[in-house]
Amino acid sequence: MATRKPAPPAFVCTECGWTTAKWVGRCGECQQWGTVSEQAAPTGILRRMTPLAPHADRAARPITQITTEDAPRRTSGVGEFDRVLGGGIVPGAAILLSGEPGVGKSTLLLEVAAQSARAGRRVLYASAEESPAQVRLRAERTGALHDELYLASETDLATILGHIDEVRPQLVIVDSVQTVSSSLSEGAAGQPSQVREVAATLIRVAKERSLPIIIVGHVTKDGQVAGPRVLEHLVDVVCHFEGDRQTSLRFIRALKNRFGPTDEVGCFEMTGGGIAEVPDPSGLFLSQGATEPGTCVAIALEGKRALPVEVQALTIPSTAPNPRRVVHGLDASRVAMVLAILEKRAGIKTSMLDVYVSTVGGVRFTEPAADLAIAVAVAGSVQLNSVPRTVAAVGELSLAGEIRPVTQAAQRRSEAARLGYEQVVDDRSKTLRAALDDVRARNTSRRPDGEIPPF
Ligand code: TYD
Ligand code: MG
């Protein structure tokens, strides 16, 4: 008896490509609602495609004969943004700027627009979220008024294309892709099919006219760009704008960059008068004033940048059956591990103490390279021993109490030297115990009885 082949799945998720034989409201793979739709049945006929002769100036050429002069970079006018883009904006580049609501995407792009306008390049800022009056008010506040900066408040894609034709800009900003809709696609703005259509059209215009386009993309609660994942494949550069609501500091990272490295980080500060670049963020994560027992500076890596980050620890006798462990900005499980290593390998007991460990300035520092600084800070708090301002500690701890080398150690060391940290306690000390002795030997602060306290 001949077995029948199973029928091909007829429904497919527009988000992730998951297929199913029956329609369901929610994708079984990516768990998105309303993204499963019917697939056109395969016709079964293999049609032949007639090859077309390529246009003379589009002929395939040996790679060695291709000049790169076609792709000169232009500065965006904002140095920290250029750094993330790999040196500037490449003509025809489609750049997606993602970030949570309120993080400052519109403020940054208004600044980029104003700087480009000042450099004599006309900019079209198509805002589908705010009225021109709202944008103008903001521009007045942040000093971004310029005659070459054109505003259009538009949610229809075709009309935005019309504005591009009329204004003939050299840079287009669309804020945001989720609020623009195309009449060629069904559904409301923001739905995956709409987002894909809008982005694909804008990208095609960018390529055809060598016109750089910056597209704002909202992110969902879990930090993904809302809309189809395919959006990130379509564009040339994906930049993510991030920052803590409680602090004014913002970072931009390139998650994807067809024109440059992805390990660069741009640093900004939100101020009353707009967004300000922070080209040297090294002082931001350090406390001011005298060194207290229980603090230690580590050198963290943000992308390619080495930044000093101060780790602070406070320990007090606990009254609770389970002593408290409160951790801010660091990895709580790594802190727990460091406390265990301190107790077992260096004889510094914290099991009867409440331990509070935090970074300064709200920065997140979850690298293993923070281990040694956490250990020195906690040991300092337990034994009332302060670390001189000129000492930084960088190292990962093994459970055996050894110090392991960290990634890009040379870079961290040279940044530490540049910033005036005369000694870096690191894996040259070999063990945690030796490192704590080393710090103690450098300690010049004495207790009232004149003794240098033991570590
Ligand atoms: P915005 O650029 O509108 O965010 P997004 O476009 O990412 O949603 O920024 C809004 C936040 O930025 C708002 O909470 C206030 C703050 N902000 C400043 O701190 N300074 C400023 O000059 C401006 C315009 C905004
Ligand atoms: Mg906005």
Side-chain angles (χ1 to χ4, degrees), residues 138-160:
R138 179 186 314 196
E140 272 174 15
R141 207 146 59 75
T142 63
L145 292 183
H146 198 282
D147 282 342
E148 288 294 297
L149 169 49
Y150 283 67
L151 286 185
S153 183
E154 204 58 69
T155 55
D156 176 52
L157 179 64
T159 320
I160 291 179

Side-chain angles (χ1 to χ4, degrees), residues 78 80-85 95-98 103-105 108-109 112 237-243 249-255 262-268 275 302-303 305:
V78 178
E80 290 290 297
F81 191 41
D82 284 347
R83 177 198 279 267
V84 177
L85 295 175
I95 300 163
L96 177 68
L97 180 69
S98 67
V103 72
K105 301 179 294 295
L108 170 71
L109 291 180
V112 168
V237 182
V238 181
C239 296
H240 187 66
F241 202 155
E242 62 186 36
L249 204 68
R250 302 284 184 270
F251 287 109
I252 296 190
R253 290 167 212 282
L255 304 182
T262 52
D263 50 3
E264 277 292 4
V265 177
C267 191
F268 297 90
I275 195 162
E302 275 289 346
R305 283 180 167 187

Side-chain angles (χ1 to χ4, degrees), residues 99-110 125 129-130 138-139 141-142 175 216 218 241 245 248 250 269-275:
E100 286 184 15
V103 72
K105 301 179 294 295
S106 307
T107 311
L108 170 71
L109 291 180
L110 193 60
Y125 190 109
E129 298 193 340
E130 291 161 291
R138 179 186 314 196
R141 207 146 59 75
T142 63
D175 188 1
V216 173
H218 289 201
F241 202 155
R245 285 277 172 103
S248 57
R250 302 284 184 270
E269 196 174 3
M270 298 299 291
T271 66
I275 195 162

Side-chain angles (χ1 to χ4, degrees), residues 227-239:
R229 216 45 230 269
V230 70
L231 190 56
E232 291 175 39
H233 296 291
L234 291 175
V235 295
D236 300 309
V237 182
V238 181
C239 296

